[in-house]
Amino acid sequence: MPNSQVFPDIQISLPQWLQAFPFRHDRIYPHLQERMRLVIELSRLNVKHQTGGPFAAAVFDANTHQLIAPGVNLVVPSHASLAHAEMVAITIAQQHRQHFYLGTNAQQSFELVSSTEPCAMCMAALAWSGIQQLICGARDADARAIGFDEGHKVQPWQDSLRQQGIGVKCDICRDEAVAVLQYYARKNGLIYNGRSEPFQGSNC
Amino acid sequence: MPNSQVFPDIQISLPQWLQAFPFRHDRIYPHLQERMRLVIELSRLNVKHQTGGPFAAAVFDANTHQLIAPGVNLVVPSHASLAHAEMVAITIAQQHRQHFYLGTNAQQSFELVSSTEPCAMCMAALAWSGIQQLICGARDADARAIGFDEGHKVQPWQDSLRQQGIGVKCDICRDEAVAVLQYYARKNGLIYNGRSEPFQGSNC
């Protein structure tokens, strides 16, 4: 940090294992289940490598089904409560495109595949991102069942997103996504919530 | 970027003028209006220097009233729709403390002073951050009046925050905060919303 800089930068980096992950050479995952299973595998590896919470997400080109940017939950290692998997994936996609809005080109649209239904923050962030379709694996209730708070959402949240021009598909490979949440719970992973007892678990 | 790195990092830096801003030597701003006026001045300078939208925020120690971290809206220059002033200030405060949760020490609590009532994303982010008090200048309606969308909020949002243990004070120096929004509108600053015509304005 240069001497002239009083306040630190924000820097959030994907884990090394994710940079080295063997994505398909063309990064195209034509079927919805394939895209979700890839994301669920990233959530599982994030738990296995102890690089964050049991959540992953990825931005795909909604027409070609090419992976644009993956994300995993990095709240604990990056010291940033905003570093949820969805925020990480969306922001890396925006860095890749060098624009804050993914919907600039009318010929292209983008899909966010999330291993668990987004929390209230990530849900609201979708509207600013240019994402046009949300695909969810596990439900809000599945995350709450292992102790994660999901925040206060506008209900019904699906209607709220659709009013903002964002399509929604839920319960894609839900059981497989839930299995990763349960794997994290069995490992006694840190449950880092807001108000409600943020410091349970073994890592804190 | 090393060859092994496929996906870019997320890096968000405060503007140079803000790193060089003449904060008080001890950074202590004892009175609420002083803290808000400092934040409003940062919002004005962000417009003047064309480094982002007309919004600023800052995290203060709620007991000593010392500034911990300032933030300004950096959505456009950092190519990141999450880079709202509140998210920037909170995350820099967390980087400073090297922890994702600002409420770890029971002896300390933190206040977020925001030049305008936070949007739906930033409102939800408060619960994950450890912030215990929110102070707002301009209202949601003031931001909407110059064309910014604030998203779909749980209503009444003050009750939602209070249920999550976060106190709220509104309308602090509201007229001064609104004057900066109007200054931005007069300069024909970019209004970067989600769905609704994101590319009005002169910078895009």
Side-chain angles (χ1 to χ4, degrees), chain B residues 115-163:
Chain B
S115 65
T116 297
E117 181 189 310
C119 79
M121 170 182 73
C122 297
M123 207 68 92
L126 287 177
W128 308 152
S129 71
I131 288 284
Q132 284 167 283
Q133 172 95 331
L134 170 67
I135 313 293
C136 307
R139 293 186 188 179
D140 176 294
D142 301 324
R144 291 186 199 266
I146 65 158
F148 281 101
D149 191 356
E150 291 266 289
H152 294 190
K153 299 177 188 178
V154 173
Q155 296 294 355
W157 62 267
Q158 296 92 334
D159 290 353
S160 168
L161 288 186
R162 287 181 186 127
Q163 283 163 17

Side-chain angles (χ1 to χ4, degrees), chain A residues 21-202:
Chain A
F21 185 86
F23 294 106
R24 287 185 191 157
H25 183 66
D26 56 8
R27 293 198 205 147
I28 293 175
Y29 295 79
H31 302 294
L32 182 55
Q33 273 81 359
E34 288 176 308
R35 299 197 290 285
M36 179 57 82
R37 288 203 170 107
L38 170 66
V39 167
I40 292 170
E41 175 63 2
L42 298 181
S43 74
R44 192 187 69 79
L45 289 170
N46 205 39
V47 178
K48 180 185 171 199
H49 291 288
Q50 299 187 291
T51 42
F55 306 107
V59 175
F60 290 89
D61 184 304
N63 301 307
T64 66
H65 306 308
Q66 188 173 44
L67 173 70
I68 306 299
V72 289
N73 178 294
L74 297 169
V75 167
V76 175
S78 56
H79 310 306
S81 58
L82 64 67
H84 287 200
E86 299 90 332
M87 304 294 260
V88 171
I90 285 169
T91 311
I92 290 177
Q94 291 170 339
Q95 300 308 296
H96 170 72
R97 294 175 62 81
Q98 292 282 289
H99 202 284
F100 63 89
Y101 192 77
L102 295 172
T104 46
N105 176 345
Q107 273 66 57
Q108 259 191 319
S109 69
F110 296 91
E111 168 192 89
L112 183 75
V113 179
S114 186
S115 65
T116 297
E117 182 188 310
C119 80
M121 170 182 74
C122 297
M123 207 68 92
L126 287 178
W128 309 150
S129 71
I131 288 285
Q132 284 167 283
Q133 171 95 332
L134 170 67
I135 313 292
C136 306
R139 293 186 187 178
D140 177 294
D142 301 325
R144 291 187 200 266
I146 65 157
F148 280 101
D149 192 357
E150 289 267 290
H152 294 189
K153 299 178 188 178
V154 173
Q155 295 294 357
W157 61 268
Q158 295 91 335
D159 290 353
S160 169
L161 288 186
R162 287 181 186 126
Q163 283 163 19
Q164 295 175 93
I166 301 166
V168 180
K169 285 186 191 163
C170 293
D171 290 346
I172 308 300
C173 309
R174 179 183 174 198
D175 291 348
E176 295 163 56
V178 168
V180 176
L181 300 180
Q182 292 171 343
Y183 167 47
Y184 187 75
R186 279 198 309 277
K187 286 188 67 168
N188 200 20
L190 177 65
I191 307 295
Y192 46 86
N193 284 321
R195 293 295 123 200
S196 51
E197 300 177 309
F199 303 109
Q200 301 166 351
S202 59

Side-chain angles (χ1 to χ4, degrees), chain B residues 42-200:
Chain B
L42 299 182
S43 74
R44 192 186 69 78
L45 289 170
N46 204 39
V47 179
K48 180 185 170 198
H49 292 288
Q50 299 186 291
T51 42
F55 306 107
V59 175
F60 290 90
D61 184 304
N63 301 307
T64 66
H65 306 309
Q66 187 173 44
L67 173 70
I68 307 298
V72 289
N73 178 293
L74 297 170
V75 167
V76 175
S78 57
H79 310 306
S81 58
L82 64 68
H84 287 199
E86 298 91 331
M87 304 293 261
V88 171
I90 286 169
T91 310
I92 290 177
Q94 292 170 337
Q95 300 306 297
H96 171 72
R97 294 176 63 80
Q98 291 282 289
H99 203 284
F100 63 88
Y101 192 77
L102 295 171
T104 45
N105 177 343
Q107 272 66 58
Q108 259 190 318
S109 67
F110 295 90
E111 168 191 89
L112 182 75
V113 179
S114 186
S115 65
T116 297
E117 181 189 310
C119 79
M121 170 182 73
C122 297
M123 207 68 92
L126 287 177
W128 308 152
S129 71
I131 288 284
Q132 284 167 283
Q133 172 95 331
L134 170 67
I135 313 293
C136 307
R139 293 186 188 179
D140 176 294
D142 301 324
R144 291 186 199 266
I146 65 158
F148 281 101
D149 191 356
E150 291 266 289
H152 294 190
K153 299 177 188 178
V154 173
Q155 296 294 355
W157 62 267
Q158 296 92 334
D159 290 353
S160 168
L161 288 186
R162 287 181 186 127
Q163 283 163 17
Q164 296 175 93
I166 302 167
V168 181
K169 286 185 189 163
C170 293
D171 290 345
I172 307 301
C173 308
R174 179 182 174 197
D175 290 349
E176 296 162 57
V178 168
V180 175
L181 300 179
Q182 292 171 343
Y183 167 47
Y184 188 74
R186 280 197 308 278
K187 286 189 68 168
N188 199 21
L190 178 65
I191 306 296
Y192 47 85
N193 282 321
R195 295 293 123 201
S196 50
E197 301 177 311
F199 302 109
Q200 299 166 355

